[in-house]
Amino acid sequence: MKTQVGIVGAGPAGLVLSHLLAQAGISNAVLEMHTRPYIEERVRAGVLEQGTVDLLNELGLGERMMRQGLMHYGIELRFEGRGHRIDFADLTGGKGVMIYAQHEVIKDLVSARLAMEGEIVFEAREVCVDRIESEKPVIRFVKNGVAQELECNFIAGCDGFHGICRDSIPKGVLKIHDRDYPFGWLGILAEAPPASHELIYVNHERGFGLMSMRSPKVSRLYLQCKPDEELSEWPDERIWEELQKRFSTRDGFSLTEGPVIQKGVTGMRSFVVEPMQFGRMFLAGDSAHIVPPTGAKGLNLAVADVRVLAAGLKEFYSSGKRELLERYSEICLRRVWKVQRFSWWMTSLLHRFSNDNEFDRRRQLAELDYVTSSRAAATTLAENYVGLPLE
Ligand code: FAD
Ligand code: PHB
């Protein structure tokens, strides 16, 4: 097999890149280790920045999102039993975010790509990359028990945090920056109409809480928990009881309860590798960086990376120039670090840390008070949440 760009991983990064390249007439193939139903059902993120929404629409992939997604123009920050709205539209000149599940985005991207006869190889096993420093890198994999080789001009490592591309770069090339947090999120999906029409982020003595949604009938809720929390210790009743305590307000708010249809624990970390490129392989999305989910940025950052990569590859194939490709890492990392900063800040603002003392608690409450009462501070949150402009 031969193609111009070999893409490892059919997540948001790999699939959006595949569409951008196809639109520019650049041949590509996506290799995905899992089955199509698996990647189309995996519950993950749910917030799309305006820029991500616009891109999906420009690519002609936004039809279902525009019908089923929910546009939101604000969020609530809740602390000390009171809610405070951050009005994105007012603070950012009309911008907002779209609530539309990541796995629905994946379904739209996969079906459109296959309808255009794009190549996505599902259940590609034992994927490895080779000769990445040469002009002719190669991806090897096993499909249906048969070893295969994909020769390409470039490789896009879009294989997520646990993928193989990043680790294929020789030791000593990449510099790793990371931070672990002493907590995780226990997330549930519940057949219960969301109790508010906008997302609620709660800072509570008992820990962080988040109410999000997937549709007018399905809530997505999260609780700060231990990083290694055992799900077996959290029967549904205990989850609801804890959520109700954290979301309670002075005027008697309560969450709508309903059957829990999915639950899981997500760890939290901040992670960046520099540079995001080696030889003819480019890392994009979670393979190069992870943000804690408090800023709802992981998917959006993955999409921002591949926009830069696609522009660089277009320049190369149309003019032979490598200027943009050579600046890929530098351009992406500028955004990555700003998004890291924002995600870390939202996380520190809203969670309880194990070593918090009374001083830390007061400082956190003062910061929440400031963010919700100063237009300048609220604007900082709003412009980051809806998405910083692309370079
Ligand atoms: P991924 O979506 O991870 O895609 C990588 C793809 O590569 C996968 O399909 C994987 O199967 C495939 N792959 C991996 N290894 C190989 C291999 N060796 N060969 C072939 N294919 C391979 N973000 C938020 O903003 N909010 C959230 O609530 C949120 N929740 C999350 C929950 C979980 C459990 C996880 C893991 C992530 C969550 N994120 C969340 C982050 C967000 O989902 C990611 O940032 C986003 O998926 C990144 O997209 P990506 O394409 O870079 O990587
Ligand atoms: C979600 O809907 O899953 C979601 C929303 C906002 C976040 C994280 C996750 O910050």
Side-chain angles (χ1 to χ4, degrees):
M1 285 168 77
K2 268 195 182 149
T3 192
Q4 288 173 306
V5 181
I7 302 173
V8 186
L15 291 168
V16 171
L17 179 64
S18 173
H19 277 279
L20 286 167
L21 295 178
Q23 194 196 38
I26 300 170
S27 69
N28 65 88
V30 181
L31 305 179
E32 166 58 48
M33 67 191 282
H34 289 296
T35 63
R36 181 175 177 186
Y38 180 89
I39 65 163
E40 290 186 346
E41 302 299 329
R42 189 167 41 179
V43 178
R44 283 180 159 190
V47 177
L48 309 182
E49 291 175 357
Q50 187 83 57
T52 305
V53 171
D54 295 345
L55 177 70
L56 293 174
N57 281 325
E58 282 158 27
L59 286 167
L61 302 165
E63 190 267 329
R64 210 164 60 93
M65 168 184 75
M66 296 312 283
R67 248 184 316 116
Q68 295 179 6
L70 308 167
M71 252 336 264
H72 282 195
Y73 293 97
I75 54 165
E76 180 182 320
L77 295 182
R78 189 173 284 188
F79 54 99
E80 298 203 299
R82 286 202 182 91
H84 307 259
R85 182 164 190 262
I86 305 286
D87 185 335
F88 296 158
D90 175 41
L91 296 164
T92 65
K95 290 189 191 151
V97 291
M98 175 74 84
I99 309 302
Y100 187 62
Q102 178 167 335
H103 65 272
E104 301 296 343
V105 176
I106 297 289
K107 280 183 201 159
D108 298 342
L109 292 168
V110 168
S111 72
R113 203 59 206 109
L114 295 177
M116 300 154 95
E117 304 196 348
E119 178 106 51
I120 307 176
V121 180
F122 293 101
E123 297 179 81
R125 308 282 186 217
E126 298 172 41
V127 176
C128 64
V129 298
D130 199 7
R131 307 201 298 251
I132 46 182
E133 278 179 277
S134 77
E135 298 275 298
K136 286 193 179 160
V138 62
I139 310 179
R140 299 203 177 83
F141 62 100
V142 174
K143 172 71 186 174
N144 295 331
V146 182
Q148 313 228 16
E149 263 193 26
L150 176 64
E151 276 184 30
C152 28
N153 306 143
F154 295 98
I155 296 176
C158 301
D159 51 348
F161 184 68
H162 300 287
I164 50 97
C165 289
R166 188 179 65 244
D167 289 343
S168 311
I169 296 175
K171 292 236 166 335
V173 171
L174 299 180
K175 188 153 175 41
I176 293 175
H177 307 273
D178 63 350
R179 164 158 304 182
D180 278 332
Y181 297 86
F183 41 75
W185 280 12
L186 193 164
I188 62 165
L189 207 54
E191 278 170 1
S196 155
H197 65 281
E198 288 181 340
L199 271 58
I200 306 173
Y201 288 82
V202 185
N203 175 316
H204 190 276
E205 298 254 301
R206 302 177 65 88
F208 169 81
L210 168 61
M211 191 213 74
S212 178
M213 61 200 71
R214 289 295 177 265
S215 74
K217 290 186 182 154
V218 176
S219 300
R220 174 88 170 133
L221 294 141
Y222 298 96
L223 283 176
Q224 175 180 352
C225 62
K226 289 185 282 187
D228 52 354
E229 195 74 65
E230 285 289 337
L231 268 184
S232 57
E233 288 174 24
W234 285 88
D236 299 355
E237 309 75 68
R238 181 173 171 209
I239 297 177
W240 284 115
E241 203 180 304
E242 188 61 34
L243 283 167
Q244 295 292 11
K245 282 186 189 148
R246 296 192 193 181
F247 282 84
S248 64
T249 57
R250 293 171 191 220
D251 53 7
F253 173 94
S254 81
L255 292 163
T256 326
E257 299 187 16
V260 174
I261 46 183
Q262 194 265 351
K263 52 176 142 170
V265 173
T266 310
M268 308 270 279
R269 73 157 58 90
S270 303
F271 175 92
V272 183
V273 291
E274 288 181 346
M276 289 168 56
Q277 182 230 341
F278 180 71
R280 287 201 162 216
M281 184 167 77
F282 295 83
L283 302 177
D286 279 14
S287 72
H289 41 71
I290 295 282
V291 286
T294 330
K297 290 287 167 232
L299 183 163
N300 296 293
L301 199 51
V303 171
D305 286 350
V306 296
R307 288 177 96 141
V308 180
L309 183 53
L313 291 166
K314 272 191 234 173
E315 183 187 66
F316 175 80
Y317 282 111
S318 60
S319 69
K321 285 195 203 143
R322 290 167 188 245
E323 265 163 52
L324 258 181
L325 279 182
E326 279 166 8
R327 291 184 54 222
Y328 169 74
S329 190
E330 172 206 327
I331 296 172
C332 288
L333 285 166
R334 278 189 74 189
R335 185 182 191 83
V336 167
W337 278 111
K338 278 180 233 160
V339 170
Q340 286 289 355
R341 184 208 68 83
F342 176 67
S343 304
W344 162 85
W345 176 77
M346 284 285 281
T347 305
S348 350
L349 182 68
L350 293 163
H351 290 75
R352 296 307 309 271
F353 285 72
S354 39
N355 54 357
D356 275 0
N357 57 29
E358 195 52 29
F359 179 87
D360 296 315
R361 180 82 192 130
R362 294 296 180 96
R363 185 195 45 74
Q364 207 181 40
L365 291 171
E367 188 153 13
L368 281 161
D369 185 10
Y370 177 52
V371 168
T372 52
S373 58
S374 149
R375 189 172 174 89
T379 304
T380 299
L381 191 162
E383 71 177 3
N384 279 276
Y385 199 99
V386 300
L388 294 171
L390 291 160
E391 194 169 311

